Amino acid sequence: MDDEKTRALRAKLKYDDGTLTAMLQGDYFLEDDHSGGFHYLRPSPGHAQFGTSIGGVLPTNPRDYAGPGPDTRVEAYGIAGTLEYDLGDVTLTSISAYKHLDSHSYASPDGTTLGERLQPADFIDRSNSYTQEVRLGGKLGILDMVVGGYYFHEKNFAGIRGGVNVIYFGFPDFLGEGAVFRGTQKTDAYALFTQNTINVTDKFGIDVGARYSYEKRSATTLNRFNLGSPYVRFPLFPQSPADITIAGADSWSSFDPKVGIHYQASPDLFLYASYSTGFKSGGFNVSGLQPPFDPEDIKDFEAGIKADLFDRRLRLNLAGFYYKYSNLQVNIVVNNPDDPQNNQISTQNAARAKLYGLEANVTARPIDDLQINVDAAYLHTKFTDYKTADFTALYLGAPLPDGTLADANGEYDLSGNPLTYAPKWKLHGALAYTFHSGALSVTPRIDATYTSAVEQSVLKLPFSRQSGYTLVDLFLDFNLADQGLSASIFMRNATKKFYTLSSTVGASFFGFPVTGLVGAPRTFGLSITKTF
């Protein structure tokens, strides 16, 4: 449990003759460990685990895992080539890249020692992508400009196989193949973009940019439910006569402008403000036989100040922002009137939301060898329009824990609820002091980060909420600048704080267990860097 075994390699080759610069970069990553998987956190109120009722055992510590797994294997590699040609006032740049990903994970969904016997689950993800960008950038009189084009192609396969033991249905013990959801999605995306600054004076500038995007996706989904064949790990997902197949395609386009102003009031004071729009691509629920969902749109207003004060002993950055989302892609329940406890969850454009916040960053050096960092972020979020049935099948029209009532269609109006995984406050502080001994510098550092309570369910379920917590990290840095050698000894999460990164309510036939991903435990490490 909680091990981490990763290897990564990156290499670059660079050629530069003063006019032409060429760079070739390759990277490889492999993970093969037990760091993933959903941990059993707690029971939902008023329900017991099905696995324990037939002899299964739950972990006594939520950091432990009682069932099989989790097993995680991720392999990724890629290559990228960059060409830059100096044309005088402007530079022509071309970036070509390829990326491959192959991921497989396996886990017990109920957290008991009988998970492998009841309903184990495999998750597969494979993708190949290609990108090409060409841009022209430089300075033409009072204009700083960039203009370019971008192309992206990806073929992605995703599959889930969850075994089902027929003892659920009163038959003798046999682990059948169960539900198989898989699909392939192809994406072709094109974009033209430009970003320009008009330097009206040496201090005042107008920023103008735009991006036109066109994206086309097609998907083929194959689903089946089969209890006659035995469940086998590491599935190849072969086709079967029992498959239900659906294919579809859709395309979207968007024009997104950006306009802003900035003012260099003095060498130590910079002010800016901007307005821009953007869109997040639409797509398909490849694990469900459902129509595609559309892109979501955002309007973004930002303003800020960057200042160096007291002879640059104090650096202050302040920013405020306001986001307005429409066609927000959210999970909603697609009602199944024949079996309300097995409704499908679907990504659809079913919500609108507003966010606003403030961020501040302060870096102080009262004396040369002492550095103090303070960061603070305040975030207010709420859905302005969002209706859905009960994701969990726990309530099915009954009032939610916060008192929200369902309408005649069994849907809950979640307007006014905060967005998930959006803490209202995040505070960070760091203190470092450097000691010198000849060519060697030694710097002890302490970092502390406070994150306020986080809703992990749009239904505001109190047993799916992470309360506020603080993480403390300790570092001891060594630096031999003359030799280009540095090292750092670190201890992250020094207080061994247990916290969840996500949580969800499991299926009804498991007894609605609350499971989730947990944060890393106390971690020790050594980092060594040599520059040449």
Side-chain angles (χ1 to χ4, degrees):
M1 269 315 306
D2 272 339
D3 66 338
E4 182 179 354
K5 187 179 181 182
T6 62
R7 283 134 287 180
L9 177 68
R10 184 176 64 185
K12 295 182 180 181
L13 283 173
K14 183 178 180 181
Y15 167 82
D16 188 350
D17 65 6
T19 301
L20 176 66
T21 302
M23 182 178 293
L24 183 66
Q25 175 178 314
D27 61 85
Y28 178 80
F29 173 84
L30 177 64
E31 176 181 3
D32 191 358
D33 54 33
H34 310 89
S35 61
F38 280 81
H39 296 239
Y40 175 81
L41 301 176
R42 62 189 71 90
S44 56
H47 295 87
Q49 284 286 77
F50 176 76
T52 59
S53 69
I54 58 172
V57 177
L58 287 167
T60 56
N61 184 331
R63 189 167 289 283
D64 292 333
Y65 216 88
D71 295 325
T72 301
R73 190 182 191 278
V74 179
E75 184 178 38
Y77 53 82
I79 189 170
T82 301
L83 295 173
E84 292 186 349
Y85 192 76
D86 189 347
L87 298 173
D89 292 333
V90 295
T91 299
L92 180 65
T93 303
S94 170
I95 305 173
S96 308
Y98 163 77
K99 194 75 175 180
H100 171 80
L101 171 71
D102 194 337
S103 171
H104 175 240
S105 60
Y106 169 81
S108 164
D110 78 331
T112 72
T113 51
L114 294 181
E116 190 168 30
R117 178 183 156 205
L118 293 175
Q119 194 184 38
D122 280 276
F123 304 88
I124 300 288
D125 191 3
R126 300 189 185 100
S127 70
N128 291 285
S129 63
Y130 308 85
T131 59
Q132 176 63 53
E133 180 175 326
V134 178
R135 64 176 184 260
L136 190 67
K139 186 174 181 65
L140 300 174
I142 65 170
L143 180 68
D144 296 330
M145 54 81 65
V146 174
V147 61
Y150 179 79
Y151 169 70
F152 170 83
H153 171 78
E154 181 184 52
K155 183 178 181 180
N156 172 259
F157 171 84
I160 303 172
R161 171 178 283 173
V164 174
N165 199 311
V166 295
I167 61 174
Y168 284 130
F169 308 102
F171 294 100
D173 191 352
F174 173 74
L175 185 59
E177 180 184 59
V180 178
F181 306 107
R182 67 211 188 278
T184 299
Q185 182 171 241
K186 296 180 182 179
T187 303
D188 286 287
Y190 309 83
L192 296 173
F193 59 87
T194 183
Q195 176 71 23
N196 308 277
T197 296
I198 304 170
N199 298 294
V200 180
T201 70
D202 291 342
K203 294 183 177 182
F204 178 72
I206 301 174
D207 305 307
V208 180
R211 180 184 181 96
Y212 173 76
S213 304
Y214 173 81
E215 301 196 7
K216 181 178 180 180
R217 293 180 187 261
S218 60
T220 301
T221 299
L222 297 90
N223 290 0
R224 69 172 178 263
F225 187 80
N226 174 28
L227 294 178
S229 301
Y231 168 83
V232 179
R233 282 193 61 184
F234 303 106
L236 297 176
F237 295 102
Q239 286 191 248
S240 163
D243 284 335
I244 301 174
T245 304
I246 186 172
D250 208 341
S251 62
W252 307 273
S253 62
S254 180
F255 177 77
D256 295 296
K258 177 179 180 179
V259 61
I261 57 174
H262 65 263
Y263 181 60
Q264 189 77 55
S266 71
D268 297 327
L269 180 62
F270 180 81
L271 302 95
Y272 66 93
S274 68
Y275 166 77
S276 61
T277 67
F279 93 120
K280 179 182 178 181
S281 178
F284 290 81
N285 294 284
V286 295
S287 64
L289 305 175
Q290 298 154 357
F293 51 89
D294 289 327
E296 67 181 32
D297 302 294
I298 185 175
K299 293 180 172 63
D300 168 17
F301 303 85
E302 296 186 28
I305 297 173
K306 299 177 182 292
D308 288 322
L309 307 172
F310 305 112
D311 197 24
R312 300 200 171 186
R313 290 287 184 182
L314 179 69
R315 171 164 290 177
L316 174 65
N317 296 326
L318 296 173
F321 58 89
Y322 174 81
Y323 297 158
K324 186 176 181 180
Y325 283 98
S326 57
N327 290 325
L328 190 64
Q329 297 168 2
V330 294
N331 290 329
I332 70 166
V333 173
V334 179
N335 286 311
N336 181 352
D338 297 324
D339 188 359
Q341 294 201 21
N342 286 296
N343 293 327
Q344 278 191 301
I345 296 179
S346 171
T347 300
Q348 295 190 14
N349 305 93
R352 291 182 293 172
K354 292 181 180 180
L355 298 76
Y356 59 82
L358 296 170
E359 294 181 345
N361 166 258
V362 179
T363 301
R365 284 188 175 274
I367 57 177
D368 289 345
D369 293 321
L370 175 65
Q371 179 166 316
I372 303 169
N373 292 85
V374 177
D375 304 286
Y378 168 77
L379 180 63
H380 175 84
T381 70
K382 73 172 182 179
F383 289 105
T384 57
D385 182 20
Y386 184 11
K387 282 188 175 183
T388 183
D390 175 16
F391 288 82
T392 64
L394 263 173
Y395 300 97
L396 296 177
L400 297 178
D402 68 350
T404 301
L405 300 175
D407 62 17
N409 297 318
E411 294 182 328
Y412 297 94
D413 186 353
L414 304 182
S415 302
N417 280 13
L419 273 65
T420 54
Y421 305 102
K424 181 172 288 189
W425 287 100
K426 193 153 190 175
L427 307 174
H428 166 258
L431 182 65
Y433 188 87
T434 301
F435 299 89
H436 302 278
S437 177
L440 176 66
S441 298
V442 181
T443 305
R445 291 187 289 135
I446 180 171
D447 277 34
T449 303
Y450 169 75
T451 304
S452 65
V454 174
E455 296 288 350
Q456 296 181 345
S457 168
V458 293
L459 302 177
K460 292 180 65 176
L461 304 178
F463 44 88
S464 286
R465 177 185 296 128
Q466 171 60 55
S467 58
Y469 63 95
T470 300
L471 298 178
V472 178
D473 302 330
L474 304 175
F475 303 86
L476 187 61
D477 303 330
F478 303 88
N479 187 27
L480 286 168
D482 294 342
Q483 300 181 30
L485 184 65
S486 61
S488 180
I489 301 171
F490 61 83
M491 179 169 60
R492 295 191 174 96
N493 194 2
T495 61
K496 300 175 66 174
K497 178 65 179 179
F498 179 86
Y499 60 101
T500 59
L501 302 172
S502 67
S503 63
T504 187
V505 177
S508 58
F509 46 77
F510 286 135
F512 303 105
V514 182
T515 61
L517 297 175
V518 302
R522 178 190 287 170
T523 307
F524 302 86
L526 169 66
S527 170
I528 301 174
T529 302
K530 171 65 178 175
T531 59
F532 300 90

